Amino acid sequence: MAQNPGTSRRTFLTATATGALGGAALAVAGGRAAAATPAVPGSAAAAPRLAPSRDVHIFYYPWYGSPAVNGSWRHWPQGGLTPPDRIGSDFYPAAGAYDSGDRAVVDRHMGWLAQAGTGVLVTSWWGQGGYEDQRVPLLLDAAAARGLKVAWHIEPYAGRTAQSVVDDIGYLIRRYGGHPAFYRDAAHGDRGAYYVFESLRIADWAPLDQVADRAIVLAQTTDVSKVAHFGGMYTYDAIAAGNNPQWAGPAAYCRDHGMVWAPSIGPGYLDDRAVPGNTTPTLERNDGATYDLEWNNALAPANGGPPTWVSITSFNEWHEGSQIEPAASAPPTAQSYRTYSGAYGRTGAAAETAYLDRTAYWVARFEAARRR
Protein backbone atom coordinates (compact mmCIF):
# COMPACT_ATOMS: atom_id res chain seq x y z
CA MET A 1 0.00 0.00 0.00
CA ALA A 2 1.40 3.35 -0.95
CA GLN A 3 2.44 5.43 2.01
CA ASN A 4 4.39 7.80 -0.23
CA PRO A 5 5.23 7.99 -3.94
CA GLY A 6 8.29 5.80 -3.48
CA THR A 7 6.57 2.58 -2.36
CA SER A 8 3.97 0.22 -3.73
CA ARG A 9 0.28 0.76 -3.10
CA ARG A 10 -0.96 -2.65 -1.96
CA THR A 11 -4.67 -2.53 -2.60
CA PHE A 12 -7.01 -3.35 0.24
CA LEU A 13 -10.51 -2.58 1.39
CA THR A 14 -10.04 -0.46 4.49
CA ALA A 15 -13.49 -0.94 6.01
CA THR A 16 -13.53 -4.74 6.15
CA ALA A 17 -11.09 -7.61 6.01
CA THR A 18 -11.02 -8.79 2.43
CA GLY A 19 -9.16 -12.03 3.09
CA ALA A 20 -6.78 -13.71 0.68
CA LEU A 21 -8.13 -14.56 -2.73
CA GLY A 22 -6.65 -18.02 -2.73
CA GLY A 23 -6.16 -20.52 -5.52
CA ALA A 24 -9.54 -22.19 -5.03
CA ALA A 25 -11.40 -18.88 -5.08
CA LEU A 26 -9.51 -17.80 -8.18
CA ALA A 27 -10.40 -21.04 -9.90
CA VAL A 28 -14.07 -20.47 -9.16
CA ALA A 29 -13.81 -16.83 -10.16
CA GLY A 30 -12.10 -17.75 -13.39
CA GLY A 31 -14.82 -20.25 -14.19
CA ARG A 32 -17.59 -17.78 -13.45
CA ALA A 33 -15.92 -15.16 -15.62
CA ALA A 34 -15.46 -17.57 -18.49
CA ALA A 35 -19.13 -18.48 -18.37
CA ALA A 36 -20.16 -14.84 -18.53
CA THR A 37 -17.50 -13.64 -20.96
CA PRO A 38 -18.82 -11.80 -24.05
CA ALA A 39 -17.13 -11.81 -27.46
CA VAL A 40 -13.51 -10.74 -27.66
CA PRO A 41 -12.68 -7.23 -28.91
CA GLY A 42 -12.64 -7.03 -32.66
CA SER A 43 -15.16 -9.82 -33.13
CA ALA A 44 -18.49 -9.33 -34.88
CA ALA A 45 -20.25 -9.15 -31.50
CA ALA A 46 -17.95 -6.52 -30.03
CA ALA A 47 -19.58 -3.22 -29.11
CA PRO A 48 -19.03 -0.24 -31.41
CA ARG A 49 -16.62 2.39 -30.11
CA LEU A 50 -18.36 5.28 -28.38
CA ALA A 51 -17.20 8.63 -27.05
CA PRO A 52 -15.33 8.28 -23.74
CA SER A 53 -17.74 7.99 -20.81
CA ARG A 54 -17.68 10.69 -18.15
CA ASP A 55 -18.97 8.07 -15.71
CA VAL A 56 -16.02 5.71 -16.11
CA HIS A 57 -13.06 6.89 -14.07
CA ILE A 58 -9.58 5.37 -14.10
CA PHE A 59 -6.76 5.82 -11.58
CA TYR A 60 -3.70 7.40 -13.18
CA TYR A 61 -0.15 7.74 -11.84
CA PRO A 62 2.00 10.74 -12.91
CA TRP A 63 4.84 9.87 -10.55
CA TYR A 64 7.38 8.37 -12.98
CA GLY A 65 10.65 10.10 -13.88
CA SER A 66 13.70 9.52 -16.09
CA PRO A 67 17.18 11.08 -16.31
CA ALA A 68 16.39 12.61 -19.71
CA VAL A 69 13.46 14.67 -18.41
CA ASN A 70 13.45 14.62 -14.61
CA GLY A 71 17.20 14.36 -14.13
CA SER A 72 17.00 10.99 -12.42
CA TRP A 73 14.91 7.85 -12.33
CA ARG A 74 11.79 8.11 -10.22
CA HIS A 75 9.54 5.27 -9.11
CA TRP A 76 10.77 2.77 -11.72
CA PRO A 77 13.68 1.57 -9.50
CA GLN A 78 11.27 0.25 -6.87
CA GLY A 79 12.41 -3.11 -5.54
CA GLY A 80 16.07 -2.10 -5.85
CA LEU A 81 16.19 -2.51 -9.63
CA THR A 82 18.05 -0.41 -12.22
CA PRO A 83 16.07 1.08 -15.14
CA PRO A 84 15.55 1.26 -17.99
CA ASP A 85 15.68 -2.50 -18.61
CA ARG A 86 15.17 -3.63 -15.02
CA ILE A 87 12.14 -2.02 -13.36
CA GLY A 88 10.04 -2.80 -10.27
CA SER A 89 7.23 -4.39 -12.24
CA ASP A 90 6.41 -7.89 -13.45
CA PHE A 91 5.29 -6.33 -16.76
CA TYR A 92 7.17 -3.85 -18.97
CA PRO A 93 5.44 -0.83 -20.56
CA ALA A 94 5.12 -0.72 -24.34
CA ALA A 95 6.17 2.93 -23.95
CA GLY A 96 9.32 1.94 -22.06
CA ALA A 97 10.44 3.32 -18.69
CA TYR A 98 8.92 6.71 -19.40
CA ASP A 99 8.78 10.08 -17.70
CA SER A 100 5.43 11.53 -16.59
CA GLY A 101 6.69 14.97 -17.58
CA ASP A 102 7.26 14.02 -21.22
CA ARG A 103 4.52 15.58 -23.36
CA ALA A 104 4.81 12.90 -26.04
CA VAL A 105 4.29 10.19 -23.43
CA VAL A 106 1.33 11.92 -21.84
CA ASP A 107 -0.26 12.58 -25.24
CA ARG A 108 0.09 8.88 -26.03
CA HIS A 109 -1.53 8.01 -22.70
CA MET A 110 -4.47 10.25 -23.45
CA GLY A 111 -4.92 8.56 -26.80
CA TRP A 112 -4.96 5.16 -25.12
CA LEU A 113 -7.45 6.36 -22.51
CA ALA A 114 -9.75 7.64 -25.25
CA GLN A 115 -9.38 4.29 -27.03
CA ALA A 116 -10.47 2.57 -23.82
CA GLY A 117 -13.55 4.77 -23.52
CA THR A 118 -12.55 6.08 -20.09
CA GLY A 119 -13.55 9.72 -19.97
CA VAL A 120 -12.11 10.73 -16.59
CA LEU A 121 -8.62 10.02 -15.31
CA VAL A 122 -8.21 10.27 -11.54
CA THR A 123 -4.67 11.47 -11.01
CA SER A 124 -2.65 10.46 -7.96
CA TRP A 125 -1.99 13.63 -5.98
CA TRP A 126 0.36 13.91 -2.99
CA GLY A 127 -0.07 17.50 -1.87
CA GLN A 128 0.35 21.09 -2.93
CA GLY A 129 3.55 21.73 -4.90
CA GLY A 130 4.65 18.08 -4.90
CA TYR A 131 6.02 16.14 -7.87
CA GLU A 132 2.58 14.93 -8.94
CA ASP A 133 1.09 18.41 -8.54
CA GLN A 134 3.79 19.75 -10.85
CA ARG A 135 2.65 17.30 -13.55
CA VAL A 136 -0.95 18.57 -13.47
CA PRO A 137 -0.73 21.44 -16.04
CA LEU A 138 0.69 19.09 -18.68
CA LEU A 139 -1.87 16.44 -17.80
CA LEU A 140 -4.78 18.88 -18.09
CA ASP A 141 -3.61 20.20 -21.46
CA ALA A 142 -3.11 16.72 -22.88
CA ALA A 143 -6.47 15.54 -21.55
CA ALA A 144 -8.27 18.53 -23.04
CA ALA A 145 -6.79 17.76 -26.45
CA ARG A 146 -8.56 14.37 -26.36
CA GLY A 147 -11.80 15.56 -24.78
CA LEU A 148 -10.97 13.89 -21.46
CA LYS A 149 -11.38 15.19 -17.93
CA VAL A 150 -9.18 15.07 -14.83
CA ALA A 151 -10.31 14.29 -11.27
CA TRP A 152 -8.23 13.84 -8.13
CA HIS A 153 -6.97 10.99 -5.96
CA ILE A 154 -5.88 12.60 -2.69
CA GLU A 155 -3.24 10.33 -1.22
CA PRO A 156 -2.13 9.90 2.43
CA TYR A 157 0.70 12.44 2.31
CA ALA A 158 2.54 13.32 5.49
CA GLY A 159 0.39 15.47 7.75
CA ARG A 160 -2.88 14.91 5.89
CA THR A 161 -5.94 15.85 7.97
CA ALA A 162 -9.59 16.41 7.19
CA GLN A 163 -8.99 20.17 7.20
CA SER A 164 -5.92 19.88 4.99
CA VAL A 165 -8.02 17.94 2.46
CA VAL A 166 -10.57 20.76 2.50
CA ASP A 167 -7.72 23.22 1.92
CA ASP A 168 -6.40 21.01 -0.89
CA ILE A 169 -9.77 21.03 -2.62
CA GLY A 170 -9.84 24.81 -2.43
CA TYR A 171 -6.31 24.94 -3.83
CA LEU A 172 -7.12 22.57 -6.72
CA ILE A 173 -10.21 24.56 -7.64
CA ARG A 174 -8.39 27.91 -7.51
CA ARG A 175 -5.33 26.69 -9.39
CA TYR A 176 -6.89 24.39 -11.98
CA GLY A 177 -10.66 24.88 -11.84
CA GLY A 178 -10.72 27.20 -14.86
CA HIS A 179 -9.15 24.61 -17.15
CA PRO A 180 -11.54 22.93 -19.63
CA ALA A 181 -10.28 19.48 -18.59
CA PHE A 182 -11.12 20.00 -14.89
CA TYR A 183 -13.81 17.39 -14.21
CA ARG A 184 -17.20 18.48 -12.92
CA ASP A 185 -20.24 16.21 -12.87
CA ALA A 186 -23.26 17.90 -14.43
CA ALA A 187 -25.56 15.28 -12.91
CA HIS A 188 -24.42 16.21 -9.41
CA GLY A 189 -24.43 19.99 -9.33
CA ASP A 190 -21.33 20.55 -11.47
CA ARG A 191 -19.13 19.48 -8.59
CA GLY A 192 -15.64 18.05 -8.98
CA ALA A 193 -14.61 14.55 -7.84
CA TYR A 194 -12.04 13.91 -5.10
CA TYR A 195 -11.26 10.33 -4.13
CA VAL A 196 -9.59 10.05 -0.70
CA PHE A 197 -7.31 7.05 -0.46
CA GLU A 198 -7.20 5.39 2.98
CA SER A 199 -9.88 7.73 4.24
CA LEU A 200 -10.33 5.56 7.36
CA ARG A 201 -7.01 6.83 8.69
CA ILE A 202 -8.97 9.89 9.82
CA ALA A 203 -12.00 9.43 12.09
CA ASP A 204 -13.74 12.80 11.89
CA TRP A 205 -14.41 14.25 8.46
CA ALA A 206 -16.78 17.03 9.54
CA PRO A 207 -14.64 19.73 7.83
CA LEU A 208 -15.80 18.33 4.46
CA ASP A 209 -19.11 20.12 5.00
CA GLN A 210 -17.25 23.32 4.05
CA VAL A 211 -16.86 22.14 0.45
CA ALA A 212 -19.99 20.02 -0.02
CA ASP A 213 -21.40 22.52 -2.51
CA ARG A 214 -18.29 22.32 -4.73
CA ALA A 215 -16.93 18.82 -4.28
CA ILE A 216 -17.99 15.19 -4.37
CA VAL A 217 -15.55 13.65 -1.90
CA LEU A 218 -15.45 9.86 -1.94
CA ALA A 219 -14.40 7.66 0.98
CA GLN A 220 -12.46 4.47 0.33
CA THR A 221 -14.69 1.98 2.13
CA THR A 222 -17.87 -0.08 1.95
CA ASP A 223 -18.64 0.53 5.63
CA VAL A 224 -21.60 2.91 5.56
CA SER A 225 -20.96 3.88 9.18
CA LYS A 226 -17.70 5.55 8.07
CA VAL A 227 -19.02 7.91 5.40
CA ALA A 228 -20.57 10.78 7.35
CA HIS A 229 -19.84 14.08 5.54
CA PHE A 230 -18.71 12.31 2.35
CA GLY A 231 -20.47 12.54 -1.00
CA GLY A 232 -19.70 9.02 -2.20
CA MET A 233 -17.88 5.72 -1.76
CA TYR A 234 -15.30 3.76 -3.75
CA THR A 235 -13.19 0.69 -3.04
CA TYR A 236 -9.94 0.86 -5.08
CA ASP A 237 -9.25 -2.80 -4.21
CA ALA A 238 -9.16 -5.00 -7.32
CA ILE A 239 -8.50 -8.10 -5.22
CA ALA A 240 -11.75 -7.86 -3.26
CA ALA A 241 -13.68 -6.95 -6.42
CA GLY A 242 -13.04 -10.42 -7.83
CA ASN A 243 -14.09 -12.30 -4.70
CA ASN A 244 -17.88 -11.95 -4.30
CA PRO A 245 -17.66 -8.34 -3.15
CA GLN A 246 -21.20 -7.97 -1.68
CA TRP A 247 -21.79 -4.44 -2.94
CA ALA A 248 -25.61 -4.36 -2.79
CA GLY A 249 -25.63 -2.75 0.65
CA PRO A 250 -23.30 0.18 -0.02
CA ALA A 251 -24.89 0.70 -3.45
CA ALA A 252 -28.35 0.98 -1.87
CA TYR A 253 -27.05 3.25 0.87
CA CYS A 254 -25.54 5.63 -1.66
CA ARG A 255 -28.70 5.62 -3.76
CA ASP A 256 -30.92 6.30 -0.72
CA HIS A 257 -28.70 9.11 0.56
CA GLY A 258 -28.03 10.90 -2.72
CA MET A 259 -24.39 9.78 -2.80
CA VAL A 260 -22.16 8.52 -5.58
CA TRP A 261 -21.36 4.79 -5.64
CA ALA A 262 -18.16 4.15 -7.63
CA PRO A 263 -16.96 0.56 -7.08
CA SER A 264 -13.45 -0.18 -8.31
CA ILE A 265 -12.52 -3.04 -10.62
CA GLY A 266 -9.27 -4.13 -12.27
CA PRO A 267 -7.59 -6.75 -14.45
CA GLY A 268 -5.35 -8.27 -11.76
CA TYR A 269 -2.77 -7.62 -9.05
CA LEU A 270 0.91 -8.59 -8.80
CA ASP A 271 3.54 -6.67 -6.83
CA ASP A 272 6.16 -9.36 -6.12
CA ARG A 273 8.96 -7.60 -7.99
CA ALA A 274 8.24 -4.17 -6.52
CA VAL A 275 7.96 -5.43 -2.94
CA PRO A 276 10.15 -8.54 -2.57
CA GLY A 277 8.89 -10.84 0.18
CA ASN A 278 5.47 -9.23 0.43
CA THR A 279 2.48 -11.31 1.52
CA THR A 280 -0.19 -9.63 -0.60
CA PRO A 281 -2.08 -12.25 -2.62
CA THR A 282 -1.61 -12.27 -6.37
CA LEU A 283 -4.73 -11.84 -8.48
CA GLU A 284 -4.00 -13.54 -11.78
CA ARG A 285 -5.41 -12.04 -14.97
CA ASN A 286 -6.46 -15.42 -16.37
CA ASP A 287 -6.17 -14.10 -19.94
CA GLY A 288 -8.77 -11.43 -19.20
CA ALA A 289 -11.32 -13.58 -17.36
CA THR A 290 -10.62 -11.77 -14.08
CA TYR A 291 -11.32 -8.38 -15.62
CA ASP A 292 -14.58 -9.63 -17.14
CA LEU A 293 -15.62 -11.10 -13.81
CA GLU A 294 -15.04 -7.80 -12.03
CA TRP A 295 -16.95 -5.80 -14.63
CA ASN A 296 -19.81 -8.28 -14.30
CA ASN A 297 -19.68 -7.87 -10.52
CA ALA A 298 -19.87 -4.09 -10.81
CA LEU A 299 -22.78 -4.08 -13.27
CA ALA A 300 -24.82 -6.93 -11.75
CA PRO A 301 -28.21 -5.86 -10.33
CA ALA A 302 -27.59 -8.26 -7.43
CA ASN A 303 -24.68 -6.00 -6.49
CA GLY A 304 -26.75 -2.85 -6.87
CA GLY A 305 -25.56 -2.27 -10.42
CA PRO A 306 -25.20 -0.45 -12.60
CA PRO A 307 -23.43 1.98 -10.27
CA THR A 308 -23.24 5.76 -10.51
CA TRP A 309 -19.66 5.56 -11.76
CA VAL A 310 -17.24 2.72 -12.37
CA SER A 311 -13.67 3.33 -11.20
CA ILE A 312 -10.84 1.27 -12.72
CA THR A 313 -7.68 0.23 -10.86
CA SER A 314 -5.65 1.19 -12.82
CA PHE A 315 -4.27 2.75 -15.98
CA ASN A 316 -0.58 2.61 -15.04
CA GLU A 317 0.19 1.37 -11.53
CA TRP A 318 2.92 -0.87 -12.94
CA HIS A 319 4.34 -1.86 -9.57
CA GLU A 320 1.10 -3.56 -8.60
CA GLY A 321 0.44 -5.17 -11.97
CA SER A 322 -3.04 -3.64 -12.09
CA GLN A 323 -2.47 -1.60 -15.25
CA ILE A 324 -4.41 -1.69 -18.51
CA GLU A 325 -1.79 0.48 -20.21
CA PRO A 326 -0.22 -1.52 -23.07
CA ALA A 327 2.57 -3.85 -21.95
CA ALA A 328 5.42 -4.71 -24.29
CA SER A 329 4.98 -7.95 -26.19
CA ALA A 330 8.77 -8.20 -26.60
CA PRO A 331 10.14 -6.66 -23.38
CA PRO A 332 13.83 -6.34 -22.49
CA THR A 333 15.51 -9.59 -21.56
CA ALA A 334 17.43 -8.25 -18.55
CA GLN A 335 14.84 -10.02 -16.41
CA SER A 336 11.76 -12.11 -17.05
CA TYR A 337 8.68 -10.00 -17.75
CA ARG A 338 5.12 -11.11 -18.27
CA THR A 339 3.13 -10.01 -21.32
CA TYR A 340 -0.57 -9.84 -22.19
CA SER A 341 -0.24 -12.68 -24.69
CA GLY A 342 -3.37 -14.83 -24.54
CA ALA A 343 -5.64 -12.03 -23.31
CA TYR A 344 -8.96 -12.35 -25.14
CA GLY A 345 -7.36 -14.65 -27.66
CA ARG A 346 -4.71 -12.17 -28.78
CA THR A 347 -1.00 -12.84 -29.12
CA GLY A 348 2.11 -10.86 -29.98
CA ALA A 349 1.82 -7.14 -30.67
CA ALA A 350 -1.97 -7.44 -31.04
CA ALA A 351 -2.21 -8.37 -27.34
CA GLU A 352 -0.58 -5.14 -26.18
CA THR A 353 -3.83 -3.18 -26.42
CA ALA A 354 -6.14 -6.04 -25.44
CA TYR A 355 -7.14 -4.47 -22.12
CA LEU A 356 -7.76 -1.06 -23.68
CA ASP A 357 -10.16 -2.57 -26.19
CA ARG A 358 -11.82 -4.79 -23.62
CA THR A 359 -12.39 -1.75 -21.44
CA ALA A 360 -14.11 0.00 -24.36
CA TYR A 361 -16.34 -3.04 -24.73
CA TRP A 362 -17.36 -2.92 -21.07
CA VAL A 363 -17.81 0.85 -21.07
CA ALA A 364 -20.36 0.40 -23.86
CA ARG A 365 -22.14 -2.29 -21.86
CA PHE A 366 -22.17 -0.07 -18.79
CA GLU A 367 -23.70 2.83 -20.70
CA ALA A 368 -26.29 0.52 -22.26
CA ALA A 369 -27.22 -0.87 -18.82
CA ARG A 370 -27.74 2.63 -17.46
CA ARG A 371 -30.15 3.45 -20.31
CA ARG A 372 -32.44 0.51 -19.57
Side-chain angles (χ1 to χ4, degrees):
M1 187 65 57
Q3 308 302 318
N4 58 64
T7 58
S8 180
R9 169 203 299 278
R10 296 184 195 169
T11 54
F12 73 114
L13 192 57
T14 54
T16 58
T18 63
L21 190 58
L26 277 169
V28 172
R32 288 172 55 202
T37 298
V40 298
S43 71
R49 194 165 314 278
L50 305 173
S53 172
R54 298 286 171 81
D55 295 319
V56 178
H57 299 189
I58 188 164
F59 297 108
Y60 182 90
Y61 293 88
W63 54 22
Y64 300 104
S66 69
V69 179
N70 178 58
S72 63
W73 292 111
R74 183 180 176 89
H75 224 71
W76 295 117
Q78 195 164 304
L81 298 171
T82 305
D85 290 346
R86 301 174 72 249
I87 63 172
S89 170
D90 287 84
F91 299 84
Y92 194 86
Y98 54 77
D99 193 299
S100 296
D102 185 333
R103 177 60 189 257
V105 167
V106 178
D107 283 343
R108 192 178 187 189
H109 283 175
M110 297 306 108
W112 280 333
L113 287 167
Q115 179 178 339
T118 52
V120 180
L121 60 101
V122 184
T123 189
S124 177
W125 191 83
W126 289 84
Q128 299 178 33
Y131 185 85
E132 295 76 22
D133 188 33
Q134 295 170 35
R135 307 280 81 74
V136 169
L138 170 58
L139 196 58
L140 287 167
D141 288 347
R146 290 284 185 169
L148 306 177
K149 301 295 182 179
V150 177
W152 313 93
H153 206 184
I154 299 179
E155 305 276 10
Y157 57 78
R160 189 185 70 175
T161 65
Q163 185 58 53
S164 78
V165 170
V166 168
D167 296 341
D168 292 336
I169 291 170
Y171 165 85
L172 291 169
I173 293 172
R174 290 192 305 274
R175 186 168 178 83
Y176 306 119
H179 197 284
F182 189 98
Y183 174 71
R184 290 182 174 85
D185 186 1
H188 295 87
D190 285 324
R191 293 178 293 161
Y194 306 83
Y195 294 74
V196 180
F197 189 68
E198 293 187 352
S199 57
L200 299 191
R201 287 191 180 193
I202 297 169
D204 182 7
W205 284 96
L208 291 181
D209 293 345
Q210 301 170 43
V211 291
D213 61 333
R214 290 164 282 162
I216 303 168
V217 186
L218 291 87
Q220 187 210 354
T221 186
T222 57
D223 184 344
V224 300
S225 72
K226 305 294 186 182
V227 295
H229 310 289
F230 283 91
M233 302 167 67
Y234 79 113
T235 55
Y236 192 84
D237 187 1
I239 297 176
N243 194 20
N244 192 21
Q246 301 292 314
W247 285 334
Y253 183 90
C254 286
R255 182 175 58 250
D256 294 344
H257 290 81
M259 297 170 67
V260 166
W261 168 235
S264 307
I265 54 96
Y269 184 90
L270 176 61
D271 68 352
D272 291 351
R273 185 162 284 159
V275 190
N278 79 83
T279 58
T280 308
T282 293
L283 179 61
E284 294 290 354
R285 291 179 177 238
N286 292 331
D287 292 336
T290 296
Y291 198 36
D292 285 347
L293 170 66
E294 298 202 2
W295 269 103
N296 273 309
N297 284 343
L299 271 55
N303 273 332
T308 319
W309 304 334
V310 172
S311 55
I312 299 173
T313 307
S314 64
F315 176 74
N316 64 337
E317 222 298 14
W318 287 93
H319 305 299
E320 295 184 350
S322 67
Q323 76 289 335
I324 69 167
E325 181 182 359
S329 57
T333 58
Q335 57 192 26
S336 176
Y337 290 102
R338 297 191 182 198
T339 72
Y340 297 161
S341 184
Y344 308 109
R346 296 187 182 184
T347 59
E352 293 184 351
T353 58
Y355 288 96
L356 299 180
D357 293 332
R358 193 56 156 191
T359 302
Y361 177 92
W362 279 109
V363 170
R365 288 194 62 171
F366 169 56
E367 292 291 353
R370 286 156 48 88
R371 292 193 294 270
R372 293 189 190 118

